[in-house]
Each structure stands twice: as structure tokens, then as C-alpha cells.
Amino acid sequence: MSVLKTYRPGALSALFSQGASALGGFLAFLFLANMLSKDDFGAYSFAFNVMILFSILATLGFDRTLLLHLSRNGDPRQPMRGSGLLLRTLGGSALASVGFMALIWGVSTPLAQAMQSEVVQWWLAALAPVVLPMAALLLLRAWFQANHRFAIAAAMPGVADFLRAMLIGVAFVAATGKIGVALAVFAAFTFPMVALMLGARNAQRSSGYRLTREDLSRGIIYAFQRITEAGQNLFDVIIIGLVASDATTAEFALAARLAVLTDIGRQAVHPTFLPRARLHLTTGDQTKIRSEYDWVRFLSLLGALAVAVFMLMFGPMILMLFGGYDAAFGPLVLMVGGYVVTAAGGPHLGYLTMTGEVRLPALIRVGGVVLTAIGIVIAVPQIGALGAGFAILLALIAVNIAALAALWWMTGFNGVSLRVLGFALVAVLTLCAVALDWMAPIFGGMVVVVVGLCLAESELAGLRMALRRLRSRRGGV
């Protein structure tokens, strides 16, 4: 059980962060639904996702540099180091952020005219300054993660989301309208950025590494990979905002925000897996990589199934709190299915990235985004937001198949578990049946409960047996 002990601090902090993020997102959407019209809500969701996209680009992929060159020391008790490298990456990111802000201000008017939405222009211009603190937080999180401060790194997104909700709540109570919302969002990312920078001031400056042109070239590729990695809860809202009405975008954005809860299990353990995979690759310990990969996949899928049950049982009642958003349930259930598929695949592309390979994972992610975009453009005019849900689900299935094949081809590592994939298939088919009204949500929830129990029984037995073999092998050495 040493694997679980290793992952516990980061996982618990990530669960806290995800819980705070979920609560913050729920409260923020609840406040926004009561403050803004449906069109404004949809335009805000579209613009906010655009800012996320540009903030990832503004990191220039230097988070990869921090992870690769500062995570070789696996002892979290050692002093943090590399503050000089951090400052240089933050400086480059700040310059890129200013450039992207100018670009957003420049294109907001023609884009809004093309979309025939005046409110989109206002929100793009008002939220553009958020790019700078957003990008800085991404780099700070990678720096803490590379120094094996998993608890701090995992807590950052949740703190920012919860703070954003609280500040939007203040704007709601003060009746400041759209301007108050924009200021609240900017402050929610700026305050944590300043606090973390102050916390890093006593770290060792020297890291023994200096930025190179290769870091920039590979980093930009990695930044695009990060964008495509966030495709399910980033590009979908942007694409729907481009092809559908602001009201439809608002419904889909709410469904996407609730569906992301399904990713809590994966997000709880994935950040810890990345630097540890890099550490084990450096030492050549394939046995530990195998063991930790299986544990991460199991915990990710078990968490996804638990949230799927919750959404099937209580999703319709939750949507009733917002009023007029009943149509979001079908897309919500299908996106939950997409997260179940991703959890069942395991941390394949993350592992591949830690081997130093960035182009192939980026290509796979881009392919997933292209498939999602094509599916949304074709399906949304036919069956509305439900079509977008199916497009996302099918694209994620294709991405995970390609990722597992790429992992085996590039490293010889087999990340496939037929047993796990079988459980995931039953769960996804059940979710599809509920989305199409072929099965009652409560009955679907009961089916997924059985799937989760069977998964826990079979996988825990296999993982315990693998741990016993590993311990007996070490005892015989």
C-alpha cells in the first residue's frame, strides 16, 4: 500500500481542490444565472473559455520545462529550488499575455459581428486582462508540482474557482452587474498569483538549468497539446458559441460545468503521477511505473463511476435549481460518459509526455478536437446540444484508442486492461441509453452502481496480488 501512501497527500489536496472548484463553479453559475440574461450567461461562458485558451498559449509551454528539469529529486522534504528559472518563464509568459490581450481586443468587434452577438464583444473585451494572471498561475502550479509540493499544486485550481464564486457572489449582492462580474474574475486569479509568488521568494534560485531555444520550440508544441488536452471542457463551449445561439451555449456550458465533476478521481491522482513517472523513467524502474499506472487508472475510473451515479440520480433536480435548463440533462449525461472513457484509458498521454515525446500526444489531441468540432457542426443543427454531447463522447473514444496505441508503439508499454474497458463499456452504454430516454435515470444509476462494485472487487484483488509479488521479489533480492 506504499503507492497509496505516496499518492495520498496530493490526492487529498486535489480532492479538496476539486470539491472547492465544484462548489465554486456551482455557486458562480447560480449567481450568474440570477444576475445575467441567458444570452449574457452564454456569452460570458464563451468568452471565459477563450481566455483559458489564450492563457495556456501564453505559458509558452514552459510548464513542461519546469516539470522536466526540476522534478528529478523525488524527496519533498528538500528545499524548493529553481526560483530563477520560474521568474524567467513568468517573464516570457507575461510578454506573451500582453500580446494576446491586444489580439483579443482587436478581434472582439469583427468576431462579435460575425456571430451576430453584441454581448460577446463586451465580454471578450472585459475579460481579456484575465489572461495574464491565469497563465502565471499555470506556471506557478507546475513549479510547485515539479518541486513535489503536490498538495499546494493540486489545491490551486479549486482555490481560484471558489474565490471567483465568492467574488461573483459579492457582485451579485452589490448588484454591480456585468462590470462587477468581470472585476471579480480578474481578482480571483490575481490574488492567488500574488500569494504564490510571495511564497516562492525564499526558494533556491539556482536550478542548474537555463532556458534554451529548444525549450521554447518544444514548449509551444506542449502548449498546444495542453489546449487540446482540455478539449472536452474548453473547445466544446467555444465551438458551440460559434455555431449556436447564446442561449444554447448557456445550456451547454452549465452541462459541461457539472459534467467535469466526473473527472475528480483522475485529477486527484494524475498530477502526482506525472513527476513520479518522470522519476521512475530516470531510474529505469518499469515495475513501479506499471504498478502506479494501474492504480491511477483504477482510482480514476472508480471516481468517475461514483460521480456518474450521482448525476443520474440527482442531475435533473440540480438542473431545476437554475430554471429553464432541463434540456442540459442529455448532454450532461453524455459528457459524463466521455470522462468515464478517459478514466478507463489511464494516464497514457501524460506518461508519454514524461518520456520527452510531445509531438505525437499533441497530434492525437488535435485530432480529437477536430473530430469534436466536425461532430458539433454536423450534429448541433440536427438535434441541438444533445448532438454535441454525442460528438464529444465519440471523439474521446477515438482519442483514447489512439493514445493507448501510441503508448504501446513508442514505449512498448501496454496500458490496456480488457477487464477495465469492459466495465467502462457497460457504463457508457447505460449513460447513452439514459440520454436517449431509453432508460430511466434512476435505473441507469443502479446499473452503474453494480458496475462500480464489480470493478472494485476485480481490480483490487489484482492490484493486491501485484503488490504481493513485488514485495516478495524485493524480499528475495
Side-chain angles (χ1 to χ4, degrees), residues 244-269:
S245 67
D246 291 331
T248 300
T249 304
E251 293 173 351
F252 188 84
L254 177 59
R257 182 67 209 191
L258 293 174
V260 79
L261 293 173
T262 318
D263 206 32
I264 283 180
R266 191 179 73 90
Q267 291 294 338
V269 292

Side-chain angles (χ1 to χ4, degrees), residues 15-32:
L15 287 173
F16 166 78
S17 175
Q18 292 290 315
S21 180
L23 179 60
F26 179 81
L27 292 175
F29 272 45
L30 198 59
F31 291 139
L32 290 168

